[in-house]
Amino acid sequence: MKKLDIYVSKNFIKSFLLSLIAFVNIFILSQLFKIIRYITEGKMTVLESATYILYLLPKILIEVTPLAVLLGSLMCINRMASNLEIISLKTSGISFKRIVIFPIIISFLISLVIFQLMDKVQPITLAKSRALRAGRKVTERVLPEIKNNAFLRTDHNIVYYIKQVNRVKNTGNLIEVIKLNSTFDKIEEIITAKTGEFDLDKNQWVLKDAVVNNFVNKTQKQYKTYSEKSLDKAPDNFITIQDNPDELSNAQIKKAVREIRITGGDIKEPLSVLGKRYSFPFASFIVSFLGLSLGSRYVRGASAISIALSVGLGYSYYIVQASFEALSVNGILNPFVSGWVPNIIFLCLGIYFMKKAEY
């Protein structure tokens, strides 16, 4: 069996690489017209355009790899079927699942590589390609000095609202602090103040013209200045930058989601990107079942039909995946659920065709 596994694996890898090169070239050609326009308009030099294409390569590789796996697996098995090798192996008692086990394993390893590319490489190259297209360098983004209508929820069941916060002067205007109980369903205290200044030495807010309403004791007190240790969130915590999630690694997206959540921002888009990062890479593994099973039978004149069907199924995956991604961005579906629904649908199709290929 070792010779058979090596033979099938070599054929699969060869077919996959040929398909990958073909699809990458198609995608690069589709970008050439845009790049030529950038050059003629003086937005890029020839050297910069070549660099721009290199920066686009990881994104292109990620997008076309499932199609390359699908077509490569079909071509590999179809060639064996046309040489009557599949029938011969089945006749000798070797099941179809055993024949294709190594291409499936290789497809899974390809999925792991794509997962790493989406996490480690693509965010960096996307940021550089967009910066190059805009004619600027990638620079560190600086936090703004002032934020209006700042909102912050802490781990101690305290919710802040500040009409205007200044992180440079460490001040705030029209401050409201709400303290809730441990189950976060009942207000225990509300503190309001006209202004406030954050004391860096004491690490706490000093509120001026403050009113403290205690709903547990049913009391109300007024203070010229008011401060307590629990009010320890500095102005920097209220101001965050919502970066493009496509240009962040998985760890950076998770951190950004935590920061956005506690400041009351919209987290649907970064969660959608993160959901795709954990689902799309495994499309290569899933579509391999379809390609291998569709190419398993040799019928004269049916090769073209099988290739057309496999490419059609491949593009169908992209359509279904994009549809469910839109549902997650709009907040209709959980991003991780919407990311895996297309995978589950096409995995079921692949398993069905794989069973049919045994006969």
Side-chain angles (χ1 to χ4, degrees):
M1 293 302 291
K2 186 177 180 180
K3 288 184 178 180
L4 171 64
D5 293 332
I6 293 172
Y7 174 72
V8 176
S9 298
K10 285 174 68 176
N11 281 330
F12 171 72
I13 292 170
K14 181 181 177 181
S15 299
F16 162 69
L17 290 176
L18 286 173
S19 301
L20 185 64
I21 291 168
F23 283 120
V24 167
N25 285 333
I26 291 170
F27 271 72
I28 289 175
L29 284 172
S30 69
Q31 294 288 325
L32 279 181
F33 298 103
K34 189 188 294 184
I35 292 168
I36 291 169
R37 191 178 76 246
Y38 289 152
I39 294 172
T40 55
E41 291 176 355
K43 294 180 179 179
M44 281 186 190
T45 63
V46 175
L47 181 60
E48 287 175 338
S49 64
T51 306
Y52 179 70
I53 292 173
L54 287 175
Y55 287 151
L56 287 180
L57 273 179
K59 184 176 185 292
I60 294 171
L61 283 171
I62 289 165
E63 290 180 350
V64 304
T65 295
L67 279 176
V69 169
L70 181 62
L71 188 59
S73 57
L74 184 139
M75 290 169 57
C76 167
I77 297 301
N78 189 259
R79 190 181 299 114
M80 291 180 66
S82 63
N83 293 331
L84 303 180
E85 293 171 333
I86 298 295
I87 292 175
S88 300
L89 290 168
K90 285 183 178 181
T91 305
S92 64
I94 301 172
S95 68
F96 182 71
K97 291 177 183 176
R98 180 61 188 84
I99 297 170
V100 299
I101 186 67
F102 269 77
I104 290 173
I105 292 172
I106 294 169
S107 299
F108 182 75
L109 295 176
I110 290 170
S111 294
L112 295 180
V113 172
I114 295 300
F115 181 85
Q116 291 299 320
L117 277 176
M118 288 188 80
D119 180 24
K120 309 294 184 184
V121 181
Q122 184 188 19
I124 298 170
T125 55
L126 271 181
K128 289 184 176 181
S129 66
R130 290 179 184 178
L132 186 61
R133 188 175 58 196
R136 57 180 173 79
K137 293 182 178 180
V138 178
T139 56
E140 288 288 331
R141 297 181 67 183
V142 180
L143 285 171
E145 180 180 339
I146 296 172
K147 182 178 180 180
N148 295 319
N149 299 314
F151 171 89
L152 181 69
R153 174 182 170 177
T154 73
D155 296 330
H156 302 294
N157 293 343
I158 297 176
V159 178
Y160 292 82
Y161 171 77
I162 304 178
K163 182 68 176 178
Q164 186 181 81
V165 62
N166 188 311
R167 71 174 187 86
V168 176
K169 296 180 180 179
N170 288 312
T171 58
N173 297 321
L174 298 179
I175 301 169
E176 183 173 335
V177 182
I178 303 172
K179 296 183 180 181
L180 295 100
N181 61 358
S182 57
T183 55
F184 213 79
D185 59 2
K186 187 177 180 181
I187 296 174
E188 293 184 344
E189 191 174 75
I190 296 178
I191 304 169
T192 58
K194 289 183 179 180
T195 60
E197 184 175 352
F198 191 78
D199 190 324
L200 295 174
D201 295 328
K202 295 182 179 179
N203 194 43
Q204 62 190 43
W205 281 93
V206 178
L207 306 178
K208 296 179 181 179
D209 296 320
V211 178
V212 179
N213 292 281
N214 191 305
F215 292 94
V216 177
N217 301 327
K218 296 181 179 179
T219 60
Q220 183 185 80
K221 294 182 180 180
Q222 296 182 351
Y223 300 88
K224 285 287 184 181
T225 59
Y226 180 82
S227 181
E228 60 176 83
K229 290 182 179 180
S230 62
L231 304 179
D232 58 354
K233 293 300 178 183
D236 281 344
N237 292 292
F238 293 82
I239 303 175
T240 58
I241 298 175
Q242 193 162 344
D243 294 295
N244 186 339
D246 288 327
E247 297 175 4
L248 302 176
S249 66
N250 293 348
Q252 288 171 330
I253 293 176
K254 291 175 184 176
K255 182 183 177 183
V257 167
R258 287 194 298 268
E259 292 176 350
I260 295 168
R261 182 178 279 124
I262 64 174
T263 55
D266 188 359
I267 60 172
K268 290 194 290 290
E269 185 181 357
L271 280 180
S272 178
V273 172
L274 192 61
K276 184 178 179 180
R277 295 268 184 94
Y278 281 99
S279 58
F280 183 78
F282 298 98
S284 300
F285 168 68
I286 288 163
V287 299
S288 67
F289 288 87
L290 288 170
L292 293 167
S293 56
L294 287 172
S296 62
R297 291 186 181 183
Y298 173 66
V299 178
R300 191 178 298 276
S303 297
I305 296 172
S306 296
I307 291 173
L309 180 60
S310 68
V311 173
L313 285 170
Y315 279 106
S316 297
Y317 175 86
Y318 288 96
I319 293 169
V320 174
Q321 187 267 333
S323 301
F324 277 94
E325 184 180 353
L327 291 176
S328 70
V329 171
N330 292 325
I332 298 171
L333 271 181
N334 179 284
F336 295 93
V337 172
S338 64
W340 274 97
V341 167
N343 286 356
I344 293 169
I345 291 171
F346 280 82
L347 180 60
C348 291
L349 279 174
I351 292 171
Y352 169 77
F353 283 117
M354 190 66 71
K355 287 183 177 180
K356 298 283 283 185
E358 289 289 356
Y359 305 103

